[in-house]
Amino acid sequence: MIAGKPPLQQSQLFSLKGSVLTLSILTLISFTYFSFKSLRPPLPFSPPTPQITLLPSSATATATATATGTNTTTPSQPRIVAEKKEGNVGEEQEDNDDDFFTDIYHSPKLFKMNFEEMEKKFKIYIYPDGDPKTFYQTPRKLTGKYASEGYFFQNIRESRFRTEDPDQAHLFFIPISCHKMRGKGTSYENMTIIVQNYLDGLIAKYPYWNRTLGADHFFVTCHDVGVRATEGVPFLVKNAIRVVCSPSYDVGFIPHKDVALPQVLQPFALPAGGNDVENRTSLGFWAGHRNSKIRVILARVWENDTELDISNNRISRATGHLVYQKRFYRTKFCICPGGSQVNSARITDSIHYGCVPVILSNYYDLPFNDILDWQKFAVILKESDVYQLKQILKSISHEEFVSLHNNLVKVQKHFQWNTPPVKFDAFHMVIYELWLRHHVIKY
């Protein structure tokens, strides 16, 4: 007890002091909290979850079916497609990673991360042997249906991936142009002998093939010429990575090892299509030679149809200037049946002109199938679906078609060859596929 103070006054004094102290502490805590809160950055914006639409299974086959040559989809199983918000499809997307790396990729973040690592580290050694004036080192030409082979030969020499030091190389390029041999009139039998002798020389001169029995080697060839020229060299076909324009399993293509080279008919006759949905009034289009069973059936069933524009012969130039190419601009869906080989330049023509490709081929490993989700910008069917083709295409709603078309424009850059090569173009996508193969090679 304090002297001179009554007990009641002392109790009131302690109560007042306690209240003031408590108020001071609460004020200090509040000031500190709001001060720290004002220093925190705003929370990142979370985009809305895309709407999910169910499409009839007849509108597509699954990606697994494409990879295995079988169709596991039944009429009762729907296909799920994420609809993207409509935008200006012709605008460049590269400046904004969030816009560029969309769900047209199986794993956008993984693709972005691996691509950046590839650009920094990946090295390829080109064997310098062989006379460059014949069929080594240089392609035959950069035009026509074999242009993809030619562009790759030129691009690899212009790129950052080439190394002059084989001890730094991750992969080794065998630079022999089978198509150039064909252009010089070499028979397939003699091509096989030339390839065999050339390869024997590399194995005898360098130690690199024997380290992996050729698993870290690759060659590039387009269309059926390279398949025919190399099938007589089984240890090359079995061990090395084949980058080919005819990725059909009935010619021994191995999806996890080999790479599908897109067959691109460059230069394109007309500018790229896109942002032109309102002009696409025709349902479907195909014109070409009947050089395969599926093309014969397609022409027989649908050539007289009033809604599908199907011709069983190529469009004659006498009909008008670039009539064939202009049809792509007016059509929603461009039919891409397999020809003498499973692949054709019609697929990349469709992509370039903004016409949604309808893949009508069995046993076909689509280009960049490891990277791109083809079901976001194409309709994938098995050959037996040809009889229901019109019903399948008409069952796709306008909103679903717009989504496919917009996504198609986003992937156009991946199916374009340039010289020198440009980031994310066809050359870089092929190199990325090789980068993926490099990571699974066992030394």
Side-chain angles (χ1 to χ4, degrees), residues 225-359:
V225 176
V227 173
R228 293 283 302 277
T230 57
E231 62 186 359
V233 190
F235 72 95
L236 172 65
V237 173
K238 178 181 178 181
N239 296 339
I241 301 168
R242 297 194 299 165
V243 183
V244 293
C245 280
S246 51
S248 178
Y249 308 121
D250 59 1
V251 293
F253 184 86
I254 304 173
H256 66 274
K257 177 180 74 73
D258 299 329
V259 174
L261 183 69
Q263 186 176 348
V264 184
L265 191 64
Q266 285 191 216
F268 293 108
L270 295 171
N275 199 22
D276 53 2
V277 171
E278 66 281 356
N279 298 328
R280 299 184 178 275
T281 55
S282 178
L283 178 63
F285 167 63
W286 175 78
H289 292 318
R290 293 185 293 179
N291 56 355
S292 67
K293 180 179 178 181
I294 184 59
R295 291 187 178 191
V296 171
I297 297 173
L298 176 66
R300 186 180 71 239
V301 175
W302 299 110
E303 64 181 331
N304 296 319
D305 191 83
T306 57
E307 295 180 273
L308 292 177
D309 183 4
I310 305 297
S311 302
N312 63 1
N313 288 297
R314 291 183 179 178
I315 298 175
S316 172
R317 293 182 180 180
T319 308
H321 183 59
L322 299 176
V323 171
Y324 175 76
Q325 289 83 356
K326 291 176 182 177
R327 294 275 186 92
F328 285 86
Y329 285 133
R330 302 198 302 267
T331 307
K332 292 181 177 180
F333 301 99
C334 288
I335 318 303
C336 302
S340 57
Q341 293 293 323
V342 67
N343 188 41
S344 76
R346 183 176 283 100
I347 296 174
T348 51
D349 281 345
S350 301
I351 293 172
H352 175 77
Y353 293 115
C355 184
V356 174
V358 179
I359 311 299

Side-chain angles (χ1 to χ4, degrees), residues 141-161:
K141 56 184 180 179
L142 297 179
T143 58
K145 60 184 179 181
Y146 302 101
S148 293
E149 176 183 313
Y151 270 102
F152 186 91
F153 270 70
Q154 181 156 319
N155 285 172
I156 190 65
R157 295 197 305 270
E158 302 168 319
S159 76
R160 71 179 71 184
F161 305 108

Side-chain angles (χ1 to χ4, degrees), residues 96-127:
N96 190 324
D97 283 351
D98 293 335
D99 291 336
F100 181 76
F101 293 101
T102 65
D103 62 354
I104 59 173
Y105 307 96
H106 291 300
S107 179
K109 292 182 179 179
L110 186 62
F111 173 58
K112 179 178 183 292
M113 179 181 65
N114 282 340
F115 194 96
E116 291 173 351
E117 183 182 7
M118 175 196 75
E119 286 190 300
K120 295 176 183 177
K121 299 180 180 179
F122 199 30
K123 296 299 178 184
I124 295 172
Y125 180 73
I126 305 175
Y127 283 111

